[in-house]
Amino acid sequence: MASKAVLTGTHFMNGDEACAEGALAAGCRFFGGYPITPATEVAERMSRRLPQLGGIYIQMEDEIASMASLLGASWGGQKAMTSTSGPGFSLMMENLGLGIITETPCVVCNVQRGGPSTGLPTLVGQADMMQARWGSHGHYEIIALCPSSPQEMFDFTIRAFNLSEQFRTPVLIMADEVVGHMNERVVIPAEDTIELVERKRPTCAPEAFLPFRPEADGVAPMACFGDGYRVHITGLTHAENGYPAMEAGAHERMLNALVNKIKMNRDTIISYDTEYLDDAEIVLVAYGISVRSARRAIRAGREQGLKLGLVKLNTVWPFPEEFIRDLAGRVRALVMPEINLGQMVLELERCAGGRCPVRLVGHAGGAIIRPAAILNVINDLVKEAV
Amino acid sequence: MNQPATAPCLQHPQEELLRSDRIPHIWCSGCGIGTVFSCVLAAVRKTGLPLDDVAMVSGIGCTGRMAGYIKVDSYHTTHGRAIPFATGLKLARPQGAVLVASGDGDLIAIGGNHFIHAARRNIDMTVICVNNLNYGMTGGQQAPSTPFGAKTTTSPTGSPEEPFDFCQLATACGAVYVSRWTSIHIRRLTESLTKAILKPGFSFVEVLAACPTAFGRRNRMREALDMVKFFHERSVIKNNIDPREFPLDFKGPLVVGEFIDRERPTFTDSYALVHSSQLGEWPDLERQKPAAG
Ligand SMILES: Cc1ncc(C[n+]2csc(CCOP(=O)(O)OP(=O)(O)O)c2C)c(N)n1
Ligand code: SF4
Ligand SMILES: [Mg+2]
């Protein structure tokens, strides 16, 4: 295999491999892995590719350790990532929280399978969406992206690194088994056309540096190991100087800073695409592999004369609240296909705020949503309206 | 962030390495951790390493608070996870020296799996364990170091379990440097820590220390000095012994000393070797460092 970081050209590869290539193109040089179906191919490719680029692949003893190793590597100045699926994602929740409170950039890709527990190791699921939002204890904001093709596994992984560096926070890629394992065309652009974001580093004198004082963009510069700032970083509630501060006022300041840096930059972070929205009366809101089911249903429905549209969520967290609220006031109904028995649809419902009916096309997991199942729900909606 | 300079005579001898703006510290009077901490600071100084190139990682517990008082890049992580965090930190910036400060519960109960694997991989780090025979921070519960029959809040009539011997464990898992001291062995401990920090590979230094507040008072060692006296009376120094032949025994003699000092390629050496195309085919291969270049 070539030993270039960016394999510019047209490839036929699966989503997991595209994710690994996206990470390398984004400058990732540390991967703390632990094998798990259906994410193993990400780790396997990284174990071959990283040493060629002077990077480190290390297989840790479990996912608790792999998540902890990413945080260490990030403070060591590297861009770091891991990949996993449900059981490993559960083990990562502890140190995901540490990453959030210590504002540590890193990327975790969850190639979702059916759960709970060991569930369906080889079959698809989209049921970790609320775990992505709230899986670690305490209150926080999170950024999560949902690729719907191998190409997006490449593109969104780069974006995940950029967002994590820009906002100094762990970023989740919530992929799924089908997107991870399907082989499709992946176009890797020329290296100089790929825009990369690097974390801000302090420039002031060490005595004047406050490692958790946000700048105007809500984000503080990060002093990594060896930069000469000799910072103290703790998972305890801390003041702007990084020192533990055990009182409610300090906690409020810190938590607001953590939440605000995401909230005030929502417009930069949130990404969605729309299709056929101009004349749409019923709009499908979908993410990940379910986007493909939705597209198919829309095409079939339009052939029947139904005015259907699509909102494809590229980022699921933060949720595009204002956009959905506005949309709900303009259409007859919103429908969400997702491979669980109702997760993101709760958020959709909340944001629609009763302005229009919201329907779930759910599936317990193990198979993708059939377009026919979507059309059935749509036809019921049409009948109800008559 | 520093307070205004105090008169030289009032400065702590390790002022340069101390976050003096964080003093007073949280440790109880008579706690052994403070003594160990002073030895760590002295050892870091003795290594002569540039201080910007030294990091300390800790987990959670009274011992883990060391990371909050040493003025180097310091990371107070989650309970038990200091070693995997330190693994990432070290591999991402191999030129830095990485110290891990951990309590017995943090290191060997919740963090036990990470400990054995980091020793096996021979990650270049120095792990300092303050073994106070219990979970101090949470008020004195049974730990994997609590001796059989010793009383804790969760073994009120005596622990029914046999403890781990940490030095045996570290030796069996492949640590290249293993020593055990008590908090009274200040000079030897400092020398041992200095050696451990400078030694490439996984070094382990265990320090038996008093926790009068949580452990001592339930085990007839209520005063800080009781445990110190106990160490003084029972400890015997034996260097270069196999810790498996001299298990930790509180009835005495309490064997301490520099047990293991051996050579083994570090993870970084081995990583370079396997990616150098100079490795033979398993199982007929020789372990050597890759030729330079
Ligand atoms: C996951 C998790 N479980 C439990 C705790 C509570 N806890 C804090 S410190 C500690 C034990 C510390 O004991 P040890 O590592 O021996 O350190 P010492 O305080 O004795 O120095 C425990 C159980 C925690 N912080 N995190
Ligand atoms: S509880 Fe024990 S270990 Fe913790 S500071 Fe007090 S004496 Fe030291
Ligand atoms: Mg302890």
Side-chain angles (χ1 to χ4, degrees):
Chain A
M1 203 180 290
S3 57
K4 285 189 301 182
V6 183
L7 300 183
T8 303
T10 303
H11 304 262
F12 188 63
M13 59 171 70
N14 75 27
D16 282 357
E17 292 164 337
C19 173
E21 290 305 328
L24 297 172
C28 172
R29 292 296 179 270
F30 183 93
F31 192 99
Y34 195 86
I36 187 165
T37 306
T40 302
E41 292 88 336
V42 186
E44 285 175 341
R45 193 164 181 113
M46 290 302 253
S47 75
R48 260 180 298 147
R49 292 271 284 133
L50 270 171
Q52 303 168 344
L53 303 169
I56 297 282
Y57 171 88
I58 182 167
Q59 192 155 303
M60 298 303 286
E61 50 276 13
D62 57 34
E63 290 89 343
I64 298 173
S66 57
M67 188 69 213
S69 76
L70 299 197
L71 304 183
S74 186
W75 282 101
Q78 302 284 355
K79 292 184 182 175
M81 92 169 284
T82 189
S83 62
T84 190
S85 193
F89 199 52
S90 290
L91 291 187
M92 288 174 184
M93 287 300 129
E94 175 191 58
N95 289 305
L96 180 70
L98 181 64
I100 290 163
I101 200 171
T102 56
E103 307 193 42
T104 308
C106 60
V107 173
V108 176
C109 177
N110 177 355
V111 188
Q112 294 173 87
R113 62 195 220 183
S117 191
T118 313
L120 293 170
T122 62
L123 298 176
V124 70
Q126 290 184 308
D128 306 344
M129 303 307 296
M130 284 295 166
Q131 184 184 26
R133 179 65 190 86
W134 294 116
S136 197
H137 56 279
H139 194 98
Y140 56 90
E141 290 289 319
I142 194 86
I143 301 175
L145 287 72
C146 272
S148 64
S149 64
Q151 181 68 53
E152 286 186 348
M153 285 290 261
F154 179 86
D155 297 339
F156 287 15
T157 302
I158 295 177
R159 179 144 203 263
F161 273 98
N162 285 346
L163 290 168
S164 79
E165 293 285 317
Q166 184 172 359
F167 298 112
R168 263 189 74 179
T169 190
V171 171
L172 307 176
I173 301 168
M174 297 301 289
D176 55 69
E177 185 274 332
V178 176
V179 165
H181 279 165
M182 70 161 59
N183 280 274
E184 273 185 348
R185 196 167 77 128
V186 174
V187 179
I188 299 183
E191 187 167 356
D192 57 7
T193 64
I194 299 175
E195 270 181 48
L196 297 184
V197 178
E198 308 295 331
R199 64 192 69 167
K200 292 187 291 184
R201 304 289 267 263
T203 51
C204 65
E207 308 78 61
F209 181 55
L210 293 171
F212 293 94
R213 166 164 296 175
E215 295 185 334
D217 60 353
V219 186
M222 181 167 172
C224 295
F225 177 25
D227 285 356
Y229 287 83
R230 299 210 228 152
V231 291
H232 179 58
I233 304 301
T234 176
L236 288 167
T237 293
H238 43 264
E240 287 184 339
N241 63 5
Y243 291 174
M246 299 295 99
E247 41 107 13
H251 192 67
E252 190 179 12
R253 183 214 62 82
M254 181 196 72
L255 207 66
N256 280 328
L258 286 179
V259 166
N260 284 345
K261 75 176 173 183
I262 307 291
K263 284 202 164 161
M264 69 191 269
N265 292 296
R266 295 168 67 86
D267 293 345
T268 313
I269 299 166
I270 289 173
S271 161
Y272 53 82
D273 294 314
T274 60
E275 295 172 23
Y276 307 105
L277 220 54
D278 296 343
D279 66 343
E281 292 173 353
I282 295 176
V283 173
L284 298 178
V285 183
Y287 60 90
I289 189 60
S290 298
V291 166
R292 319 272 291 239
S293 307
R295 276 211 189 98
R296 183 62 193 266
I298 290 168
R299 243 185 294 143
R302 286 217 162 234
E303 277 165 22
Q304 290 171 32
L306 296 170
K307 289 191 171 151
L308 305 181
L310 174 69
V311 174
K312 168 177 173 292
L313 301 176
N314 301 325
T315 50
V316 281
W317 301 117
F319 198 76
E321 183 162 349
E322 290 82 12
F323 169 71
I324 292 293
R325 187 180 307 124
D326 177 62
L327 182 69
R330 291 190 280 123
V331 299
R332 273 175 50 192
L334 296 174
V335 176
M336 177 169 275
E338 55 178 345
I339 310 172
N340 59 55
L341 298 182
Q343 292 195 11
M344 295 308 297
V345 73
L346 301 174
E347 192 65 3
L348 188 65
E349 229 162 45
R350 184 183 72 78
C351 297
R355 287 175 189 78
C356 73
V358 175
R359 290 292 143 81
L360 164 73
V361 187
H363 187 297
I368 60 168
I369 305 283
R370 285 177 305 112
I374 300 175
L375 278 174
N376 285 344
V377 169
I378 289 172
N379 284 327
D380 288 349
L381 273 167
V382 172
K383 267 185 238 144
E384 281 166 35
V386 175
Chain B
M1 285 185 290
N2 271 327
Q3 288 168 339
T6 37
C9 61
L10 297 178
Q11 276 188 1
H12 190 277
Q14 303 296 350
E15 177 71 20
E16 205 196 342
L17 262 173
L18 204 59
R19 296 189 189 274
S20 30
D21 48 352
R22 286 214 60 214
I23 305 300
H25 55 68
I26 64 149
W27 298 313
C28 309
S29 71
C31 174
I33 297 173
T35 312
V36 182
F37 183 59
S38 295
C39 295
V40 171
L41 298 185
V44 168
R45 289 297 292 274
K46 283 183 81 171
T47 62
L49 294 168
L51 298 182
D52 288 351
D53 258 332
V54 177
M56 180 183 276
V57 184
S58 75
I60 302 296
C62 297
T63 308
R65 293 301 184 98
M66 278 193 202
Y69 302 121
I70 186 172
K71 202 156 103 197
V72 296
D73 282 312
S74 54
Y75 306 92
H76 179 231
T77 67
T78 40
H79 192 26
R81 315 304 173 207
I83 284 181
F85 185 103
T87 299
L89 189 70
K90 174 67 191 179
L91 297 181
R93 195 171 187 285
Q95 65 270 45
V98 175
L99 279 58
V100 168
S102 205
D104 41 304
D106 192 52
L107 191 69
I108 301 296
I110 192 164
N113 198 30
H114 312 308
F115 178 80
I116 63 177
H117 286 282
R120 171 181 65 80
R121 295 183 183 111
N122 203 20
I123 306 278
D124 184 12
M125 61 172 71
T126 300
V127 176
I128 304 144
C129 178
V130 176
N131 183 355
N132 54 19
L133 310 178
N134 81 136
Y135 289 170
M137 174 149 278
T138 42
Q141 295 76 30
Q142 184 193 319
S145 51
T146 304
F148 173 78
K151 294 189 179 74
T152 70
T153 62
T154 51
S155 58
T157 55
S159 170
E161 300 178 16
E162 286 296 334
F164 267 130
D165 182 317
F166 295 2
C167 288
Q168 283 190 31
L169 186 63
T171 303
C173 294
V176 290
Y177 183 89
V178 179
S179 68
R180 176 190 294 133
W181 305 99
T182 77
S183 55
I184 67 167
H185 297 95
I186 293 176
R187 188 175 51 82
R188 288 189 169 85
L189 170 60
T190 306
E191 277 166 20
S192 181
L193 285 166
T194 311
K195 236 171 138 173
I197 296 167
L198 291 173
K199 173 112 189 162
F202 189 90
S203 303
F204 177 62
V205 178
E206 176 186 13
V207 194
L208 297 168
C211 167
T213 307
F215 185 82
R217 73 185 166 108
R218 297 188 174 88
N219 293 282
R220 297 184 302 148
M221 297 194 193
R222 185 172 291 274
E223 302 301 324
L225 271 179
D226 294 341
M227 186 67 105
V228 169
K229 260 192 248 154
F230 178 82
F231 289 150
H232 195 75
E233 285 161 10
R234 302 215 178 166
S235 59
V236 178
I237 299 174
K238 284 190 198 290
N239 293 322
N240 307 313
I241 53 120
D242 183 340
R244 283 166 287 201
E245 286 165 22
F246 295 88
L248 178 58
D249 181 3
F250 290 92
K251 287 199 301 297
L254 189 64
V255 177
V256 300
E258 183 184 86
F259 300 152
I260 302 286
D261 185 357
R262 61 188 171 189
E263 305 304 318
R264 207 157 72 80
T266 66
F267 175 86
T268 307
D269 295 334
S270 303
Y271 192 81
L273 174 63
V274 300
H275 294 115
S276 67
S277 72
Q278 293 170 29
L279 187 73
E281 290 290 330
W282 184 86
D284 303 310
L285 48 79
E286 291 291 327
R287 282 295 287 272
Q288 80 255 50
K289 288 193 179 181

